[in-house]
Amino acid sequence: MAANRTLTIIKPDAFAANNAGNILALLEKKGFKLIASRVMKLSQAQAGEFYAVHAGRPFYGELVEFMTSGYCMPMVLEKADAVLALRDAIGATDPAEAAEGTVRKLYAESKGKNAIHASDSDENAARESRFFFAETDLIR
Ligand code: CMP
């Protein structure tokens, strides 16, 4: 994936609260273009694999349980320097530390139930995009 694309997931807390549209609108206002999206419920195996890098961390079980607790919305977004731009737009992992106007400041309730995921590197953005989408699902 080019460095101007990244992967995000509107998590089960934000999706269940009907905030998927609000979050996408906020990101579109910040200049992100929607390249692919789907709505799905992750299986335990899928969530475990997606967050395998966190296996062994104390919050891993809670994270997998939460991510499988309801529907979520993976999306590929495009903007110049997408990974950094999206991490800036979503704010700190803990909403109490997130800057004003960020997705997590507006829509997250805790470090665990924090509304949105964003890839942390170009390499992970490419891997995470392939996790949810085929090349043919992406706008070219
Ligand atoms: P995310 O960007 O999806 O990537 C890893 C996730 O682990 C992170 O967002 C948080 O939701 C979760 N996480 C990180 N630290 C904690 C924690 N201390 N307690 C619960 N969940 C956490």
Side-chain angles (χ1 to χ4, degrees):
M1 181 189 284
N4 58 353
R5 289 188 177 183
T6 190
L7 185 284
T8 187
I9 308 173
I10 295 177
K11 293 186 178 183
D13 57 332
F15 192 85
N18 271 358
N19 281 324
N22 292 326
I23 292 171
L24 180 57
L26 186 159
L27 295 175
E28 287 181 330
K29 277 193 198 101
K30 287 179 184 273
F32 290 92
K33 186 173 176 339
L34 183 59
I35 298 300
S37 73
R38 63 188 290 198
V39 171
M40 66 184 295
K41 200 170 197 174
L42 288 169
S43 67
Q44 294 268 330
Q46 285 173 316
E49 186 188 340
F50 186 81
Y51 282 115
V53 67
H54 296 302
R57 304 276 286 275
F59 57 83
Y60 180 68
E62 189 187 315
L63 176 60
V64 170
E65 189 187 337
F66 167 59
M67 290 302 293
T68 57
S69 68
Y71 285 87
C72 67
M73 190 172 170
M75 301 185 282
V76 174
L77 298 176
E78 185 173 274
K79 192 184 176 183
D81 210 354
V83 166
L84 272 179
L86 186 60
R87 291 191 74 80
D88 192 48
I90 72 173
T93 302
D94 185 345
E97 292 165 16
E100 290 299 327
T102 60
V103 173
R104 284 171 172 160
K105 181 73 177 183
L106 289 163
Y107 299 111
E109 56 183 84
S110 66
K111 228 180 198 176
K113 294 181 178 171
N114 65 354
I116 191 164
H117 165 86
S119 305
D120 64 3
S121 66
D122 288 340
E123 187 187 3
N124 281 339
R127 181 182 66 79
E128 293 175 1
S129 175
R130 285 195 301 271
F131 188 91
F132 291 111
F133 300 102
E135 210 44 51
T136 48
D137 293 329
L138 308 177
I139 292 178
R140 273 160 287 173

